Amino acid sequence: MKMRNEYTCPLEMTHDIIRGKWKPIILWQLNKGSHSLSGLKKSINGISQKMLIQHLNELLECGIIHKSKGEGYPLKSDYVLTERGKRLFEAVSIMQSIGIEMMIEDGRQDFLRDKGLL
Amino acid sequence: MKMRNEYTCPLEMTHDIIRGKWKPIILWQLNKGSHSLSGLKKSINGISQKMLIQHLNELLECGIIHKSKGEGYPLKSDYVLTERGKRLFEAVSIMQSIGIEMMIEDGRQDFLRDKGLL
DNA sequence: CAGCATCCCCACTGATACTG
DNA sequence: CAGTATCAGTGGGGATGCTG
């Protein structure tokens, strides 16, 4: 993820952090609780392992998530939201609710009901 | 802006809408009040006219903003947030506040003070 | 299971020039 | 002032295969 060199406002910073295609969904999953790599992969539909790891590393760099690594075999990783990540999740949460509102306005209640979101 | 064909959750929808590099700043400006094209261009540092118009058109398609066009000369356009756009702005607003918090944690109070955000 | 390395494509971005 | 058209660079995203 290419970040800008300079930020003219804090908004751009948060936006750059969350811009990646899978970032919001990753945060959404991690907010439910810590996940292993494979756990995340299973819970996120359509993501490739490479993209998942790439996005996780970017979130790590920004201090949004924290990683614990087990030592023995089988290998076990554990990703968790940091405090900063939990705050960022609030924005993600709002995006979700806005998405729901938009879908309702667009008459897609059926879709939402199927997902158990209505 | 390439939107996905299918959305597995509403979050992805909102994310796709706001993904563009300049979208949040545009919403931020429009939330202050309606703007003409040139007005927006002047208020957004570094944006090219092409990108501005492109993003505006995408926001129009999604029903986030509304455009009025004057008939006479000199030409006068007017962009405003729709009700949906105002709701989306709330998410943008949260992103801004999170950006501020992050910058404070990172010890960039000086930057924020310069911008009058602290 | 966790993670890295390669290769490739296309969408996003941007500069520039032109029209009403 | 508002908006379109064209061309080019690049980095984000994805498929696949390899290592500890």
Side-chain angles (χ1 to χ4, degrees):
Chain A
M1 174 76 45
K2 169 91 171 198
M3 311 289 267
R4 317 174 207 214
N5 312 322
E6 280 196 9
Y7 290 102
T8 60
C9 76
L11 175 56
E12 292 176 340
M13 189 178 171
T14 315
H15 185 236
D16 270 5
I17 289 177
I18 209 149
R19 228 170 152 188
K21 178 171 181 182
W22 304 96
K23 296 246 168 61
I25 300 100
I26 291 175
L27 292 184
W28 188 266
Q29 289 303 326
L30 288 183
N31 185 65
K32 295 181 184 171
S34 74
H35 279 72
S36 65
L37 186 69
S38 56
L40 275 174
K41 182 152 170 36
K42 258 175 268 175
S43 65
I44 299 176
N45 204 300
I47 195 171
S48 72
Q49 189 175 9
K50 180 203 159 184
M51 289 315 299
L52 177 53
I53 291 179
Q54 181 178 310
H55 281 114
L56 286 171
N57 284 335
E58 288 162 3
L59 292 171
L60 278 168
E61 275 180 40
C62 297
I64 305 298
I65 62 176
H66 176 73
K67 172 166 81 168
S68 312
K69 247 194 108 172
E71 295 297 327
Y73 275 86
L75 288 177
K76 172 75 178 170
S77 65
D78 202 53
Y79 293 91
V80 208
L81 288 185
T82 60
E83 286 306 311
R84 179 181 288 187
K86 287 175 191 166
R87 246 175 297 126
L88 188 51
F89 171 78
E90 292 177 33
V92 173
S93 174
I94 300 234
M95 287 169 62
Q96 160 88 341
S97 65
I98 288 176
I100 291 178
E101 290 176 16
M102 286 186 176
M103 283 188 168
I104 291 175
E105 287 182 17
D106 292 343
R108 304 189 54 190
Q109 287 86 349
D110 45 343
F111 174 89
L112 294 171
R113 254 187 294 270
D114 282 354
K115 299 283 177 185
L117 295 171
L118 208 62
Chain B
M1 172 78 44
K2 168 87 172 206
M3 311 289 268
R4 322 178 201 210
N5 311 322
E6 280 195 10
Y7 290 101
T8 61
C9 75
L11 175 54
E12 292 176 341
M13 189 179 172
T14 314
H15 185 235
D16 269 6
I17 290 177
I18 209 147
R19 225 170 155 186
K21 179 171 181 181
W22 305 96
K23 296 244 168 64
I25 301 99
I26 291 175
L27 292 184
W28 188 267
Q29 290 302 327
L30 287 184
N31 184 65
K32 295 182 186 172
S34 73
H35 279 71
S36 65
L37 186 69
S38 56
L40 275 174
K41 181 152 170 35
K42 258 176 267 175
S43 65
I44 300 177
N45 204 301
I47 195 171
S48 71
Q49 186 174 300
K50 179 202 160 185
M51 290 312 300
L52 177 54
I53 291 178
Q54 181 178 310
H55 281 114
L56 286 172
N57 285 334
E58 288 163 4
L59 292 172
L60 279 168
E61 276 180 40
C62 296
I64 305 298
I65 63 176
H66 176 75
K67 171 166 83 167
S68 312
K69 248 195 109 171
E71 295 298 328
Y73 275 85
L75 288 176
K76 172 75 177 169
S77 65
D78 202 53
Y79 294 92
V80 207
L81 288 185
T82 60
E83 286 307 310
R84 179 181 288 187
K86 288 175 190 165
R87 250 177 294 126
L88 187 52
F89 171 78
E90 292 177 32
V92 173
S93 174
I94 300 237
M95 289 169 62
Q96 161 88 339
S97 65
I98 289 177
I100 292 178
E101 290 176 15
M102 286 184 175
M103 283 189 167
I104 291 176
E105 287 181 16
D106 292 343
R108 304 190 54 191
Q109 287 86 348
D110 44 343
F111 173 88
L112 294 171
R113 253 188 294 271
D114 282 355
K115 300 284 176 183
L117 295 170
L118 210 62

